[in-house]
């Protein structure tokens, strides 16, 4: 198995293209809100806390959708869930573009969040479809989320320069409609059936521990996004701060791209813990002001592969329960975005903004310890044998998975993974 197998047939290439567009759209939508807050606040005469409800409604919708999709797709397969997500996502954009009343804007944020959370199922789709190449495919497609996060503020700025928010959401809606059209051409694919009914307790414990790990990681990621600018403003000019943040997001995408070839040979838990460990070291380096801009950019590079590789890690630990476990972990892990930034903010209140990188590094250290515990008590397991698609060909299983451990994943000779019908 080589990296070329990611693109071996047109179904795989089309799935990767569609998922890449989806993550580009998701990254753009998430980054639109912040730059538009001042406009919403002024035009609708709202308080800061009221404007913040936009993100709250979006987050609530996304959380509900991630959980619901994880259960529904086991019965319907991936395509209906993905198509429904694209429909709801488009409706959310249309609502934002048409709304002039506060209630309509909140309803649109809820719709956009529901679509967002449903489309996150692309992570499960890709990992299940590509089998041992899942981590590589996830890093490749998730790379576009970071690009979207850069485009979002630019789109919002262009819209505001023309006098309002509508252009931003009309443009986003056009991309969402294109995504909807592309999802309609995806082939149906069903996740692996749950065959192990005896390990429910182990699966529950694993879900909780993975959820804690991902919540801690997302807490660090969200804290970095929110507090790096404050950290840099102590000794750096506004242009340096702005360019550093843009470079951090580019570095996230670069890190995911660099992880694509590595993921073919490196086990997902090694990728996750190694990347998080390097990011922790870079946050510690950022404590020294002259090195802070470059150190923060490096943290983006190393943090990039963590989330996609974690999704793949879950499937390697619970191969027959991956959809359900991963959905719960992704939904619950998002809580880290709630408690992380306020926690770091409390550190700045008690000490100073100079301690921001140390606070984020401490969160990552706790996450690393949790991850090490997972490797000790929840070893990798074989991907179920005989997993076939419409073509009747079975997926490969790396020896690293069969043995339940291993840094490098050599490949068992055999047919190409994920030869089932695709998107």
């Amino acid at each position: 198995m080589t990296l070329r197998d990611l693109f071996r047939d047109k179904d795989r290439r089309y799935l990767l293209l569609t998922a890449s567009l989806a993550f580009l759209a998701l990254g753009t939508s998430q980054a639109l809100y912040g730059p538009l807050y001042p406009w919403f606040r002024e035009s609708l005469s709202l308080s800061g806390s009221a404007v913040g409800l936009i993100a709250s409604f979006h987050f609530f919708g996304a959380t509900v959708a991630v959980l619901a999709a994880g259960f529904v797709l086991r019965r319907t397969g991936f395509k209906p869930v993905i198509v429904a997500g694209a429909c709801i996502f488009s409706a959310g954009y249309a609502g934002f573009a048409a709304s002039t009343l506060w209630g309509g804007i909140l309803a649109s944020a809820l719709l956009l969040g529901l679509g967002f959370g449903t489309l996150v199922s692309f992570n499960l789709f890709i990992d299940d479809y590509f089998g041992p190449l899942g981590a590589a495919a996830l890093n490749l497609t998730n790379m576009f989320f970071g690009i979207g996060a850069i485009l979002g503020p630019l789109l919002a700025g262009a819209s505001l320069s023309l006098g309002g928010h509508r252009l931003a959401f009309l443009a986003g809606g056009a991309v969402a409609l294109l995504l909807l059209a592309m999802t309609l051409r995806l082939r149906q694919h069903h996740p692996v059936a749950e065959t192990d009914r005896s390990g429910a307790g182990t699966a529950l414990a694993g879900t909780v521990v993975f959820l804690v790990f991902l919540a801690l990681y997302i807490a660090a990621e969200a804290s970095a996004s929110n507090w790096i600018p404050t950290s840099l403003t102590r000794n750096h000019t506004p242009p340096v701060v702005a360019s550093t943040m843009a470079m951090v997001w580019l570095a996230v995408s670069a890190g995911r791209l660099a992880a694509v070839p590595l993921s073919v040979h490196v086990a997902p838990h090694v990728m996750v813990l190694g990347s998080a460990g390097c990011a922790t070291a870079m946050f510690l380096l950022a404590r020294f002001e002259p090195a802070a801009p470059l150190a923060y950019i490096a943290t983006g590079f190393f943090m990039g592969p963590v989330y996609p590789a974690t999704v793949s890690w879950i499937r390697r630990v619970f191969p027959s329960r991956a959809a359900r476990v991963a959905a719960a972990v992704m939904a619950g892990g998002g809580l880290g975005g709630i408690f992380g930034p306020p926690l770091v903010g409390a550190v700045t209140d008690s000490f100073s903004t100079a301690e921001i990188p140390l606070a984020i590094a401490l969160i990552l250290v706790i996450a690393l310890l949790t991850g090490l515990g997972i490797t000790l008590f929840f070893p990798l397991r074989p991907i179920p044998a005989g997993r076939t698609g419409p073509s009747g060909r079975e997926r490969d299983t790396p020896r690293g998975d069969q043995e339940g451990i291993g840094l490098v994943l050599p490949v068992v000779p055999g047919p190409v993974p994920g030869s089932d019908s695709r998107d």
Side-chain angles (χ1 to χ4, degrees):
M1 177 178 58
T2 67
L3 198 58
R4 291 182 181 179
D5 291 324
L6 279 176
F7 314 99
R8 188 162 183 170
D9 59 59
K10 63 179 182 179
D11 288 338
R12 295 180 193 185
R13 293 191 293 270
Y14 188 77
L15 173 55
L16 290 172
L17 178 63
T18 306
S20 297
L21 178 63
F23 285 114
L24 180 73
L26 294 179
T28 302
S29 70
Q30 183 166 291
L32 275 179
Y33 294 135
L36 292 173
Y37 277 177
W39 187 89
F40 282 124
R41 185 173 182 175
E42 181 180 349
S43 62
L44 298 174
S45 300
L46 300 170
S47 66
S49 59
V51 172
L53 288 175
I54 295 176
S56 297
F57 273 64
H58 179 100
F59 173 79
F60 176 76
T63 303
V64 171
V66 169
L67 282 172
F71 285 90
V72 172
L73 62 81
R74 293 171 47 245
R75 295 172 173 80
T76 66
F78 285 100
K79 181 177 179 178
V81 171
I82 295 296
V83 171
C87 286
I88 300 169
F89 198 59
S90 301
Y93 268 118
F96 261 114
S99 295
T100 57
L101 300 177
W102 180 230
I105 288 173
L106 289 181
S108 300
L110 180 63
L111 276 176
L112 203 59
L114 288 168
F116 185 105
T118 308
L119 287 173
V120 166
S121 298
F122 258 120
N123 281 313
L124 306 178
F125 190 172
I126 292 167
D127 193 49
D128 189 85
Y129 185 92
F130 283 94
L133 285 171
L138 284 170
N139 274 296
L140 178 63
T141 53
N142 275 262
M143 173 186 72
F144 289 91
F145 188 96
I147 297 174
I150 298 171
L151 294 177
L154 298 177
L155 182 58
S159 183
L160 290 174
S161 68
L162 296 176
H165 72 291
R166 284 191 172 86
L167 175 62
F169 290 101
L170 285 172
V175 175
L177 287 175
L178 173 61
L179 175 62
L180 174 59
M182 293 181 69
T183 61
L184 291 171
R185 295 188 58 217
L186 291 172
R187 287 190 178 183
Q188 176 63 298
H189 176 73
H190 289 271
V192 61
E194 291 189 6
T195 56
D196 179 13
R197 301 290 179 181
S198 62
T202 301
L204 177 60
T207 300
V208 171
V209 180
F210 267 112
L211 190 155
V212 170
F213 169 80
L214 192 62
L216 288 165
Y217 166 73
I218 292 177
E221 186 182 71
S223 298
S225 178
N226 282 273
W227 285 105
I228 284 177
T230 301
S231 171
L232 290 173
T233 52
R234 297 176 64 252
N235 293 289
H236 300 279
T237 63
V240 170
V241 174
S243 61
T244 298
M245 287 309 299
M247 290 299 294
V248 167
W249 279 111
L250 282 174
V252 168
S253 294
R256 288 172 176 171
L257 181 62
V260 172
L262 288 175
S263 299
V264 177
H265 305 290
V266 178
H269 65 289
V270 176
M271 178 73 70
V272 168
L273 299 179
S275 297
C278 290
T280 303
M282 292 301 100
F283 276 116
L284 294 174
L285 180 61
R287 180 63 179 78
F288 300 95
E289 288 295 339
L294 289 178
Y296 281 134
I297 293 170
T299 63
F301 181 84
F302 288 117
M303 293 179 83
V306 174
Y307 187 96
T310 299
V311 176
S312 186
W313 186 8
I314 291 170
R315 191 181 65 85
R316 304 296 172 86
V317 173
F318 301 108
S320 66
R321 299 174 182 267
R324 181 179 295 185
V325 172
V329 170
M330 288 190 295
L335 295 173
I338 297 176
F339 73 78
L343 188 61
V344 174
V347 171
T348 66
D349 292 338
S350 300
F351 299 96
S352 74
T353 55
E355 309 307 327
I356 287 173
L358 292 181
I360 299 174
L362 179 59
I363 295 173
L364 277 177
V365 167
I366 301 172
L368 281 167
L369 293 175
T370 305
L372 289 172
I374 295 174
T375 63
L376 292 175
F377 296 101
F378 299 93
L380 304 184
R381 299 172 61 190
I383 298 173
R387 178 84 168 99
T388 61
S391 63
R393 292 180 291 173
E394 295 185 1
R395 293 186 176 172
D396 303 339
T397 302
R399 288 191 189 98
D401 281 356
Q402 291 171 331
E403 296 168 357
I405 56 173
L407 170 62
V408 179
L409 302 180
V411 181
V412 176
V416 179
S419 50
D420 326 344
S421 58
R422 288 331 160 207
D423 348 357

